[in-house]
Amino acid sequence: MKCREIIEVLETLAPRRCACDWDNPGLLAGRMEKEVKKILLTVDADDEAVKHAIAAGADMLISHHPLIFKPVRHVSDEDFIGRRLVSMIQADISYFAMHTNFDAAPGCMADVVAEKIGIAEGEPLEEMGEENGVPYGIGKIGRLIKPVNGMELAGQIKEAFGLPFVTVYGRELYETIPVERAATCPGAGGSEIGEALRKGAQVLITGDISHHQGIDAAAQGMMILDAGHYGLEHVFMDYMEEFLNGHFRGLIQVEKMPVEFPAAVI
């Protein structure tokens, strides 16, 4: 199976046109005509993922977050991005990223996370357009299938996503009152606080929330559950493993990086 053929399938799942303008998904290194027998899935194309891909004999590395965001002036082993790119190219590994196109596309990140949280009758938190007649965009907002108080919800999310911890802002808002309307923005969701408030969310489940974002959201009556940037998005690997295995039916071996949270509370 050629890398090009795999990319054609991936583009049907999460078309590049669904990505944000500032993003950089797609084939970022390697050969389109590379023969692919083994794929490694990861959230980040970090040093460990690149080393694992080489050691495991992977022909293709697929990550959620792109290794390259800004223009690269040189590719050498003088910096960490260049070092990883050089290593992959030397090992003849084709490297593909699926970022905000996967976040936004119907049936992908936003829908998977919302279902895992228990959000029903959801709509995009920030609508970006329509794909085959289905609205798509960043995040999801809707009613909770089973309303619970805020701390119970935090506990359920911690368990559902296997999180080491959840940071809660505004815990006093829903200590006894059930949360009925919830929003989620997997990854970094600080920019979606205003949209979540406008659409009546009682809680926003996201990551990378700063101190002031958290306390300001609480002051406006919305609880924040910060699961960390990686915390919700590691579902990318399980989802893509199932998708690739279901589509290629054993023609390609699919392996995942282990779930390892980059942050710890000591």
Side-chain angles (χ1 to χ4, degrees), residues 181-259:
R181 186 165 174 80
T184 183
C185 178
S191 62
E192 298 299 327
I193 288 175
E195 196 65 27
L197 285 165
R198 280 191 292 273
K199 292 188 174 180
Q202 295 168 289
V203 61
L204 173 63
I205 303 138
T206 186
D208 286 358
I209 295 297
S210 71
H211 168 77
H212 289 289
Q213 288 174 326
I215 64 172
D216 290 352
Q220 297 174 82
M222 186 172 70
M223 184 179 181
I224 298 281
L225 301 182
D226 186 340
H229 197 119
Y230 183 94
L232 303 180
E233 291 192 325
H234 68 78
V235 300
F236 168 80
M237 295 187 288
D238 284 344
Y239 181 93
M240 289 305 302
E241 179 185 41
E242 184 176 348
F243 174 81
L244 291 168
N245 285 336
H247 192 90
F248 294 110
R249 300 187 181 280
L251 294 175
I252 299 172
Q253 184 181 352
V254 180
E255 187 175 332
K256 300 176 295 185
M257 287 295 289
V259 174

Coordinates of all heavy atoms in Angstrom, one line a residue, residues 181-259:
R181 N -26.1 21.4 30.8 CA -25.6 21.8 29.5 C -24.1 22.0 29.5 O -23.5 22.8 30.3 CB -26.2 23.1 29.0 CG -25.9 23.5 27.6 CD -26.9 24.6 27.1 NE -26.5 25.1 25.8 CZ -26.8 24.5 24.6 NH1 -27.4 23.4 24.6 NH2 -26.5 25.1 23.5
A182 N -23.4 21.2 28.7 CA -21.9 21.2 28.8 C -21.3 21.4 27.4 O -21.9 21.0 26.4 CB -21.4 19.8 29.3
A183 N -20.1 21.9 27.4 CA -19.4 22.1 26.2 C -18.0 21.5 26.3 O -17.5 21.4 27.4 CB -19.2 23.6 25.8
T184 N -17.4 21.1 25.2 CA -16.0 20.6 25.3 C -15.3 21.1 24.1 O -15.8 21.3 23.0 CB -16.0 19.1 25.2 OG1 -14.6 18.6 25.4 CG2 -16.6 18.5 24.0
C185 N -14.0 21.4 24.3 CA -13.1 21.8 23.2 C -11.8 21.0 23.5 O -10.9 21.5 24.3 CB -12.8 23.3 23.2 SG -11.6 23.8 21.9
P186 N -11.6 19.8 22.9 CA -10.4 19.0 23.2 C -9.1 19.8 22.8 O -9.1 20.6 21.8 CB -10.5 17.8 22.3 CG -12.0 17.7 22.1 CD -12.5 19.1 22.1
G187 N -8.1 19.7 23.6 CA -6.9 20.5 23.4 C -6.9 21.8 24.1 O -7.3 21.8 25.3
A188 N -6.4 22.8 23.5 CA -6.4 24.2 24.1 C -7.7 24.9 23.8 O -8.0 25.2 22.7 CB -5.2 24.9 23.6
G189 N -8.5 25.2 24.9 CA -9.8 25.8 24.6 C -10.1 27.1 25.2 O -11.2 27.6 25.3
G190 N -9.0 27.8 25.6 CA -9.2 29.1 26.2 C -9.9 30.1 25.3 O -10.7 30.9 25.7
S191 N -9.6 30.0 24.0 CA -10.2 30.9 23.0 C -11.7 30.6 22.8 O -12.4 31.4 22.2 CB -9.5 30.8 21.6 OG -9.6 29.5 21.1
E192 N -12.2 29.5 23.3 CA -13.6 29.1 23.1 C -14.5 29.5 24.3 O -15.7 29.2 24.3 CB -13.8 27.6 22.8 CG -13.1 27.2 21.5 CD -13.6 27.9 20.3 OE1 -14.9 28.2 20.3 OE2 -12.8 28.2 19.3
I193 N -13.9 30.1 25.4 CA -14.7 30.4 26.6 C -15.8 31.3 26.2 O -17.0 31.1 26.7 CB -13.7 31.0 27.6 CG1 -12.8 30.0 28.2 CG2 -14.6 31.7 28.7 CD1 -11.8 30.5 29.2
G194 N -15.6 32.4 25.5 CA -16.6 33.3 25.1 C -17.8 32.6 24.4 O -19.0 32.9 24.6
E195 N -17.4 31.8 23.4 CA -18.4 31.1 22.6 C -19.3 30.1 23.5 O -20.5 30.0 23.4 CB -17.8 30.3 21.5 CG -18.7 29.8 20.4 CD -19.3 31.0 19.6 OE1 -18.7 32.1 19.6 OE2 -20.4 30.8 19.1
A196 N -18.6 29.5 24.5 CA -19.3 28.6 25.4 C -20.3 29.3 26.3 O -21.4 28.9 26.5 CB -18.3 27.8 26.2
L197 N -19.8 30.5 26.7 CA -20.7 31.4 27.5 C -21.9 31.8 26.7 O -23.1 31.8 27.2 CB -19.9 32.5 28.1 CG -19.0 32.3 29.3 CD1 -18.0 33.4 29.5 CD2 -19.8 32.0 30.5
R198 N -21.7 32.3 25.5 CA -22.7 32.8 24.7 C -23.8 31.7 24.4 O -25.0 32.0 24.2 CB -22.2 33.3 23.3 CG -21.6 34.7 23.4 CD -21.3 35.3 22.1 NE -20.2 34.6 21.4 CZ -18.9 34.8 21.6 NH1 -18.5 35.8 22.4 NH2 -18.0 34.2 20.9
K199 N -23.3 30.4 24.3 CA -24.3 29.4 24.0 C -24.8 28.7 25.2 O -25.5 27.6 25.1 CB -23.6 28.4 23.0 CG -23.3 28.9 21.7 CD -22.8 27.9 20.7 CE -22.6 28.5 19.3 NZ -22.1 27.5 18.3
G200 N -24.6 29.3 26.4 CA -25.2 28.8 27.6 C -24.6 27.6 28.2 O -25.3 26.9 29.0
A201 N -23.4 27.3 28.0 CA -22.7 26.2 28.7 C -22.6 26.5 30.2 O -22.2 27.6 30.6 CB -21.4 25.9 28.1
Q202 N -22.9 25.5 31.0 CA -22.7 25.6 32.4 C -21.2 25.2 32.8 O -20.7 25.6 33.8 CB -23.7 24.7 33.2 CG -25.1 25.2 33.0 CD -26.1 24.2 33.6 OE1 -26.2 23.1 33.0 NE2 -26.7 24.4 34.7
V203 N -20.7 24.3 32.0 CA -19.3 23.9 32.2 C -18.6 23.7 30.8 O -19.2 23.4 29.8 CB -19.3 22.5 32.9 CG1 -20.0 21.5 32.2 CG2 -17.8 22.1 33.2
L204 N -17.3 24.1 30.8 CA -16.5 23.8 29.6 C -15.4 22.9 30.0 O -14.6 23.1 30.9 CB -15.9 25.2 29.1 CG -14.9 25.0 27.9 CD1 -15.5 24.5 26.7 CD2 -14.2 26.4 27.6
I205 N -15.3 21.8 29.2 CA -14.3 20.7 29.5 C -13.2 20.9 28.4 O -13.5 20.6 27.2 CB -14.9 19.3 29.5 CG1 -16.0 19.3 30.5 CG2 -13.9 18.3 29.7 CD1 -17.3 18.6 30.0
T206 N -12.0 21.2 28.8 CA -11.0 21.5 27.8 C -9.6 21.4 28.4 O -9.4 20.6 29.3 CB -11.2 23.0 27.2 OG1 -10.3 23.2 26.2 CG2 -11.1 24.0 28.3
G207 N -8.6 22.1 27.9 CA -7.3 22.1 28.4 C -6.5 23.4 28.2 O -7.0 24.3 27.6
D208 N -5.4 23.5 28.8 CA -4.5 24.7 28.7 C -5.2 26.0 29.2 O -5.0 27.0 28.5 CB -4.0 24.8 27.3 CG -3.0 23.8 26.9 OD1 -2.6 23.0 27.7 OD2 -2.5 23.8 25.7
I209 N -5.9 25.9 30.2 CA -6.6 27.1 30.8 C -5.7 27.8 31.7 O -5.1 27.3 32.7 CB -7.9 26.7 31.5 CG1 -8.9 26.2 30.4 CG2 -8.5 27.9 32.2 CD1 -9.3 27.1 29.3
S210 N -5.5 29.1 31.5 CA -4.7 29.9 32.4 C -5.4 30.3 33.6 O -6.7 30.2 33.7 CB -4.2 31.2 31.7 OG -5.3 32.1 31.5
H211 N -4.7 30.8 34.6 CA -5.3 31.2 35.9 C -6.5 32.2 35.6 O -7.6 32.1 36.1 CB -4.3 31.9 36.8 CG -4.8 32.6 38.0 ND1 -5.2 31.9 39.1 CD2 -4.9 33.9 38.2 CE1 -5.6 32.8 40.0 NE2 -5.5 34.0 39.5
H212 N -6.2 33.3 34.9 CA -7.1 34.3 34.7 C -8.3 33.9 33.8 O -9.5 34.3 34.1 CB -6.5 35.6 34.1 CG -5.6 36.3 35.1 ND1 -6.1 37.0 36.1 CD2 -4.2 36.4 35.1 CE1 -5.1 37.5 36.8 NE2 -4.0 37.1 36.3
Q213 N -8.1 33.1 32.8 CA -9.2 32.5 32.1 C -10.1 31.7 32.9 O -11.3 31.8 32.8 CB -8.6 31.6 30.9 CG -8.0 32.4 29.8 CD -7.3 31.4 28.8 OE1 -6.8 30.4 29.2 NE2 -7.3 31.8 27.5
G214 N -9.5 30.9 33.8 CA -10.3 30.1 34.7 C -11.2 30.9 35.7 O -12.4 30.6 35.8
I215 N -10.6 31.8 36.4 CA -11.3 32.6 37.4 C -12.3 33.5 36.7 O -13.4 33.8 37.3 CB -10.4 33.3 38.4 CG1 -9.6 34.4 37.7 CG2 -9.5 32.3 39.1 CD1 -8.8 35.2 38.7
D216 N -11.9 34.0 35.5 CA -12.9 35.0 34.8 C -14.1 34.2 34.3 O -15.2 34.7 34.3 CB -12.2 35.7 33.7 CG -11.1 36.7 34.2 OD1 -11.1 36.9 35.4 OD2 -10.4 37.2 33.3
A217 N -13.9 33.0 33.8 CA -15.0 32.2 33.4 C -15.9 31.9 34.6 O -17.2 31.9 34.5 CB -14.5 30.9 32.7
A218 N -15.4 31.5 35.7 CA -16.1 31.2 36.9 C -16.9 32.4 37.4 O -18.1 32.3 37.8 CB -15.2 30.7 38.0
A219 N -16.3 33.6 37.2 CA -17.0 34.8 37.6 C -18.2 35.1 36.8 O -19.1 35.8 37.2 CB -16.0 36.0 37.6
Q220 N -18.2 34.5 35.6 CA -19.4 34.7 34.7 C -20.3 33.5 34.7 O -21.2 33.4 33.9 CB -18.9 34.9 33.2 CG -18.0 36.2 33.1 CD -17.4 36.3 31.7 OE1 -18.0 36.7 30.7 NE2 -16.1 35.9 31.6
G221 N -20.1 32.7 35.7 CA -21.1 31.6 36.0 C -20.8 30.3 35.3 O -21.7 29.4 35.3
M222 N -19.6 30.1 34.7 CA -19.3 28.9 34.0 C -18.1 28.2 34.6 O -17.1 28.8 34.8 CB -19.0 29.1 32.5 CG -18.8 27.8 31.7 SD -18.7 28.1 29.9 CE -17.0 28.9 29.8
M223 N -18.3 26.9 35.0 CA -17.3 26.1 35.5 C -16.3 25.6 34.4 O -16.8 25.4 33.3 CB -18.0 24.9 36.2 CG -17.0 24.0 37.0 SD -18.0 22.6 37.7 CE -16.8 21.7 38.6
I224 N -15.1 25.5 34.8 CA -14.1 25.0 33.8 C -13.5 23.7 34.4 O -13.0 23.7 35.5 CB -12.9 26.0 33.6 CG1 -13.5 27.3 33.0 CG2 -11.8 25.4 32.7 CD1 -13.7 27.3 31.5
L225 N -13.4 22.7 33.6 CA -12.7 21.5 33.9 C -11.5 21.4 32.9 O -11.7 21.1 31.7 CB -13.6 20.2 33.8 CG -14.9 20.2 34.7 CD1 -15.6 18.9 34.5 CD2 -14.5 20.4 36.1
D226 N -10.3 21.6 33.4 CA -9.1 21.6 32.6 C -8.5 20.2 32.7 O -7.9 19.8 33.7 CB -8.1 22.6 33.1 CG -6.9 22.8 32.2 OD1 -6.6 21.8 31.4 OD2 -6.2 23.8 32.2
A227 N -8.7 19.4 31.6 CA -8.2 18.0 31.6 C -6.8 18.0 31.0 O -6.2 16.9 30.8 CB -9.1 17.2 30.8
G228 N -6.2 19.1 30.7 CA -4.8 19.1 30.1 C -5.0 19.0 28.6 O -5.9 18.4 28.0
H229 N -4.0 19.5 27.8 CA -4.1 19.5 26.4 C -4.1 18.0 25.9 O -4.9 17.7 25.0 CB -2.9 20.2 25.8 CG -3.0 20.6 24.4 ND1 -3.0 21.9 23.9 CD2 -3.2 19.8 23.3 CE1 -3.2 21.9 22.6 NE2 -3.3 20.7 22.2
Y230 N -3.2 17.2 26.4 CA -3.1 15.8 26.0 C -4.3 15.0 26.5 O -4.7 14.0 25.9 CB -1.8 15.2 26.6 CG -1.5 13.8 26.2 CD1 -0.7 13.5 25.1 CD2 -1.9 12.7 27.0 CE1 -0.3 12.2 24.8 CE2 -1.6 11.4 26.7 CZ -0.8 11.2 25.6 OH -0.5 9.9 25.2
G231 N -4.9 15.4 27.7 CA -5.9 14.6 28.4 C -7.0 14.1 27.6 O -7.4 12.9 27.8
L232 N -7.6 14.9 26.8 CA -8.8 14.5 26.0 C -8.3 14.0 24.6 O -9.0 13.1 24.1 CB -9.8 15.6 25.8 CG -10.3 16.3 27.1 CD1 -11.3 17.4 26.7 CD2 -11.0 15.3 28.0
E233 N -7.2 14.5 24.1 CA -6.9 14.3 22.7 C -6.2 12.9 22.5 O -6.0 12.5 21.4 CB -6.0 15.4 22.2 CG -6.8 16.7 22.0 CD -6.1 17.7 21.2 OE1 -4.8 17.8 21.3 OE2 -6.7 18.5 20.5
H234 N -5.8 12.3 23.6 CA -5.1 11.0 23.3 C -6.1 9.9 22.8 O -5.6 8.9 22.3 CB -4.4 10.4 24.6 CG -5.4 10.0 25.7 ND1 -6.1 8.8 25.7 CD2 -5.7 10.7 26.9 CE1 -6.8 8.8 26.8 NE2 -6.6 9.9 27.5
V235 N -7.4 10.2 22.8 CA -8.3 9.3 22.1 C -8.1 9.2 20.6 O -8.6 8.3 19.9 CB -9.8 9.7 22.4 CG1 -10.1 9.7 23.9 CG2 -10.1 11.1 21.8
F236 N -7.3 10.2 20.1 CA -7.0 10.1 18.6 C -6.4 8.8 18.3 O -6.7 8.2 17.2 CB -5.9 11.3 18.4 CG -5.2 11.2 17.0 CD1 -5.9 11.6 15.9 CD2 -4.0 10.7 16.9 CE1 -5.3 11.6 14.6 CE2 -3.3 10.6 15.7 CZ -4.0 11.1 14.5
M237 N -5.5 8.3 19.1 CA -4.8 7.0 18.8 C -5.7 5.8 18.7 O -5.7 5.0 17.8 CB -3.7 6.8 19.8 CG -2.6 7.8 19.7 SD -1.1 7.4 20.7 CE -1.8 7.7 22.4
D238 N -6.6 5.7 19.7 CA -7.6 4.6 19.7 C -8.5 4.7 18.5 O -8.8 3.7 17.8 CB -8.4 4.5 21.0 CG -7.6 4.0 22.1 OD1 -6.6 3.4 21.9 OD2 -8.0 4.2 23.3
Y239 N -9.0 5.9 18.2 CA -9.9 6.1 17.1 C -9.3 5.7 15.8 O -9.8 5.0 14.9 CB -10.4 7.6 17.1 CG -11.4 7.8 16.0 CD1 -12.7 7.8 16.2 CD2 -10.9 8.2 14.7 CE1 -13.7 8.0 15.2 CE2 -11.8 8.4 13.7 CZ -13.2 8.4 13.9 OH -14.1 8.6 12.9
M240 N -8.0 6.2 15.6 CA -7.4 6.0 14.3 C -7.0 4.5 14.1 O -7.0 4.0 13.0 CB -6.1 6.9 14.2 CG -6.5 8.4 14.0 SD -7.6 8.7 12.5 CE -6.6 7.9 11.2
E241 N -6.6 3.9 15.2 CA -6.3 2.4 15.1 C -7.5 1.7 14.7 O -7.4 0.8 13.7 CB -5.9 1.9 16.5 CG -5.6 0.4 16.5 CD -5.3 -0.1 17.9 OE1 -6.0 0.3 18.9 OE2 -4.4 -0.9 18.1
E242 N -8.7 2.0 15.2 CA -9.9 1.3 14.8 C -10.3 1.6 13.3 O -10.7 0.8 12.6 CB -11.1 1.7 15.7 CG -12.4 1.0 15.4 CD -13.5 1.3 16.4 OE1 -13.2 1.9 17.5 OE2 -14.6 0.9 16.1
F243 N -10.1 2.9 13.0 CA -10.4 3.3 11.6 C -9.5 2.6 10.6 O -10.0 2.1 9.6 CB -10.3 4.8 11.5 CG -10.5 5.3 10.1 CD1 -11.7 5.5 9.5 CD2 -9.4 5.6 9.3 CE1 -11.9 6.0 8.2 CE2 -9.5 6.1 8.0 CZ -10.8 6.2 7.4
L244 N -8.2 2.6 10.8 CA -7.3 2.1 9.9 C -7.4 0.5 9.8 O -7.4 0.0 8.7 CB -5.8 2.4 10.3 CG -5.4 3.9 10.2 CD1 -4.1 4.2 10.9 CD2 -5.3 4.3 8.7
N245 N -7.6 -0.1 10.9 CA -7.8 -1.6 10.9 C -9.1 -1.9 10.2 O -9.2 -2.9 9.5 CB -7.8 -2.1 12.3 CG -6.4 -2.2 12.9 OD1 -5.4 -2.3 12.2 ND2 -6.3 -2.2 14.3
G246 N -10.1 -1.1 10.4 CA -11.4 -1.4 9.8 C -11.4 -1.2 8.3 O -12.0 -1.9 7.5
H247 N -10.6 -0.2 7.9 CA -10.6 0.1 6.4 C -9.6 -0.8 5.7 O -10.0 -1.3 4.6 CB -10.1 1.6 6.2 CG -10.3 2.1 4.8 ND1 -11.5 2.7 4.4 CD2 -9.5 2.0 3.7 CE1 -11.4 3.0 3.1 NE2 -10.2 2.6 2.7
F248 N -8.4 -1.0 6.2 CA -7.4 -1.8 5.5 C -7.4 -3.3 5.8 O -6.8 -4.1 5.1 CB -6.0 -1.2 5.7 CG -5.9 0.2 5.1 CD1 -5.8 1.3 6.0 CD2 -5.9 0.4 3.8 CE1 -5.7 2.6 5.4 CE2 -5.8 1.7 3.2 CZ -5.7 2.8 4.1
R249 N -8.1 -3.7 6.9 CA -8.4 -5.1 7.2 C -7.1 -6.0 7.1 O -7.1 -7.0 6.4 CB -9.5 -5.6 6.3 CG -10.8 -4.9 6.4 CD -11.9 -5.5 5.7 NE -13.1 -4.7 5.8 CZ -14.0 -4.8 6.9 NH1 -13.7 -5.6 7.9 NH2 -15.1 -4.0 6.9
G250 N -6.1 -5.6 7.9 CA -4.9 -6.4 8.0 C -3.9 -6.2 7.0 O -2.8 -6.8 7.1
L251 N -4.1 -5.4 6.0 CA -3.1 -5.1 4.9 C -2.0 -4.3 5.5 O -0.9 -4.3 5.0 CB -3.8 -4.4 3.8 CG -4.8 -5.2 2.9 CD1 -5.4 -4.3 1.9 CD2 -4.1 -6.4 2.3
I252 N -2.3 -3.5 6.6 CA -1.3 -2.7 7.2 C -1.3 -3.0 8.7 O -2.3 -3.1 9.3 CB -1.6 -1.2 6.9 CG1 -1.5 -0.9 5.4 CG2 -0.5 -0.3 7.7 CD1 -2.0 0.5 5.1
Q253 N -0.1 -3.1 9.3 CA 0.0 -3.3 10.7 C 0.0 -1.9 11.4 O 0.7 -1.0 11.0 CB 1.3 -4.0 11.1 CG 1.5 -4.3 12.6 CD 2.8 -4.9 12.9 OE1 3.5 -5.3 12.0 NE2 3.1 -5.1 14.2
V254 N -0.9 -1.8 12.4 CA -1.0 -0.5 13.1 C -0.6 -0.6 14.5 O -1.0 -1.5 15.2 CB -2.5 0.0 13.0 CG1 -2.7 1.4 13.7 CG2 -3.0 0.1 11.6
E255 N 0.3 0.3 15.0 CA 0.7 0.3 16.4 C 0.5 1.7 16.9 O 0.5 2.7 16.2 CB 2.2 -0.1 16.4 CG 2.8 -0.3 17.8 CD 4.2 -0.8 17.8 OE1 4.6 -1.5 16.8 OE2 5.0 -0.5 18.7
K256 N 0.4 1.8 18.3 CA 0.1 3.0 18.9 C 1.3 3.3 20.0 O 1.8 2.3 20.6 CB -1.2 3.1 19.7 CG -2.4 2.8 18.9 CD -3.7 2.8 19.8 CE -3.6 1.6 20.7 NZ -4.8 1.4 21.5
M257 N 1.6 4.6 20.2 CA 2.4 4.9 21.3 C 1.6 4.7 22.6 O 0.4 4.9 22.6 CB 2.8 6.4 21.2 CG 3.9 6.6 20.1 SD 5.5 5.8 20.5 CE 6.1 6.8 21.9
P258 N 2.2 4.3 23.7 CA 1.5 4.2 24.9 C 1.0 5.6 25.4 O 1.6 6.6 25.1 CB 2.5 3.6 25.9 CG 3.9 3.9 25.3 CD 3.7 4.0 23.8
V259 N -0.1 5.5 26.1 CA -0.7 6.8 26.7 C 0.2 7.2 27.9 O 0.3 6.5 28.9 CB -2.1 6.6 27.1 CG1 -2.6 7.9 27.8 CG2 -3.0 6.3 25.9

